[in-house]
Amino acid sequence: MTVSRLWCARLTLTDFRSHAAFDLALDERPVCLHGPNGAGKTNILEALTMLAPGRGLRGAALMDVARGGAEAAADRVRPWTVSAHIMSNGDDLVLGAGAERTDIGVKRIARLDGRPATAGDLARAARMTWLTPAMDRLFAGSAGDRRRFFDRLVLGRAPEHGQAAAAYERAMRDRQRLLNEHSRDGAWLGALEREMAAHACAIAAARLETLERLQETIDSRPDGAFPKARMALEGALEAAFAEGRASADIEDEFIAALARGRGRDAAAGRTLEGPHRSDLLVRHAPKDMPAEHCSTGEQKALLLGLILAHGRALAEDPGAGPALLLLDEAAAHLDPVRRAALFDELLALPGQAWLTGTEPALFEAFGDRAQMIAVGDPG
Ligand SMILES: Nc1ncnc2c1ncn2[C@@H]1O[C@H](COP(=O)(O)OP(=O)(O)OP(=O)(O)O)[C@@H](O)[C@H]1O
Ligand SMILES: [Mg+2]
């Protein structure tokens, strides 16, 4: 069986962060971006992530990524574009993202082969996941950060997960507004709660499915250079799905729970129950220890192992496929043995890996199995 591969053959940036005009032609080997601090390496990874749903790897506002955007007045900033030729299954697709000026301001644009597209279209055309140094504190950080991290993994399998989450949030906001206004419109509240519950079930089920596949992928291999994670989702709906209960029952119970919680949520000014509060619990399996109690290096290795396993799980999933894997500054903090192991794992994945580092020497263990790209100081 030939495994389909996914890689970027060309990346073009216009007025994106520090890059006025950047054009890179590539082959399918991993891409190692090296250059001094401030050269614009992370900006290049971020540009790629603008092709995924959401706000990219820095969570930036639309015009903050425009060149000079953080400083200049909004009406002075030139719109930006990112365009990537993605080779997938022998097809050459052109994905585009950017900002466009309209009469009423600027709007986000997405294109596939020159035609207007949705974020979901782009997500299906090129899956991608990433790790940044900011995620080093993921296990010790907030539940919200872990939930968002995990939801991005879910998105790799199920691009519609993003729409379900957005629709759930919208219904939740509308219900909370009614509660805050002390509305007694039970019919309207009930309708919003039913809508919330339908989306909540889709969200929880998709999360659980992703988690189970990921755990299976992790467990199916012998111990390697990266410690295995044992994961669980903390959340009432996820737990109900994990017990194998029927979706219709879970939905009905959540509707009832929301109705019971109206007074409580009105008093709190926010919705205290639901999948928007779930958490991802991770344990370091070999040590049988909660991830947040592990050393900094152990946590990094755990996270890398998790993201690599996710790459394998996606590639093996008939409903998904290979993903680009972007690793910002991952190599610098590994000892040489682990670094070489990381490169071997990346080469075994059918999706192209992108790495950054200040020194080309960091990528020596790749030999000629990767392409080295020097990123100059644009200033
Ligand atoms: N909107 C923007 N317009 C112009 N320049 C920007 C904008 N946003 C950020 N920059 C600049 O981009 C430069 C490069 O940032 P980037 O984070 O990509 O560097 P890097 O190569 O990853 O460096 P490091 O090795 O330190 O991580 C910074 O000097 C920053 O000032
Ligand atoms: Mg950087």
Side-chain angles (χ1 to χ4, degrees), residues 33-211:
L33 304 169
H34 61 88
N37 295 134
K41 305 177 297 293
T42 304
N43 290 348
I44 295 171
L45 297 191
E46 184 186 28
L48 267 170
T49 64
M50 300 314 281
L51 300 166
R55 295 163 143 233
L57 67 68
R58 287 191 176 103
L62 184 60
M63 288 314 270
D64 278 359
V65 298
R67 199 157 68 97
E71 308 278 352
D75 58 339
R76 311 271 314 263
V77 177
R78 252 191 308 212
W80 55 273
T81 59
V82 174
S83 152
H85 284 250
I86 299 289
M87 310 299 285
S88 166
N89 252 335
D91 290 336
D92 179 356
L93 303 166
V94 185
L95 276 64
E100 197 171 65
R101 208 172 280 293
T102 67
D103 296 341
I104 49 165
V106 283
K107 80 169 204 252
R108 182 177 291 265
I109 50 170
R111 291 199 198 289
L112 188 57
D113 280 338
R115 283 185 292 277
T118 65
D121 296 335
L122 297 193
R124 270 178 284 272
R127 292 183 173 74
M128 67 178 92
T129 44
W130 56 84
L131 271 191
T132 68
M135 292 175 181
D136 285 354
R137 302 300 295 157
L138 189 74
F139 299 127
S142 73
D145 283 345
R146 275 187 299 278
R147 190 173 55 245
R148 278 183 286 278
F149 166 79
F150 188 71
D151 276 339
R152 181 148 298 280
L153 302 189
V154 178
L155 217 51
R157 286 196 66 238
E160 65 279 4
H161 186 63
Q163 279 118 49
Y168 172 81
E169 299 269 341
R170 253 195 320 274
M172 178 169 73
R173 265 199 310 275
D174 289 348
R175 170 182 175 272
Q176 193 62 48
R177 193 174 319 120
L178 287 183
L179 292 176
N180 295 351
E181 290 163 0
H182 307 292
S183 163
R184 294 190 188 279
D185 191 337
W188 194 359
L189 282 165
L192 289 168
E193 286 161 358
R194 282 193 297 281
E195 199 184 327
M196 281 173 72
H199 295 304
C201 281
I203 292 166
R207 281 183 186 154
L208 189 71
E209 230 176 279
T210 300
L211 183 111

Side-chain angles (χ1 to χ4, degrees), residues 330-372:
H333 305 284
L334 297 174
D335 58 57
V337 173
R338 279 236 174 75
R339 200 182 299 149
L342 169 65
F343 296 169
D344 288 342
E345 295 246 15
L346 292 176
L347 286 162
L349 286 173
Q352 188 180 46
W354 288 62
L355 300 101
T356 66
T358 50
E359 304 295 328
L362 286 169
F363 306 114
E364 229 158 41
F366 267 125
D368 61 4
R369 298 176 300 169
Q371 51 203 317
M372 299 295 144

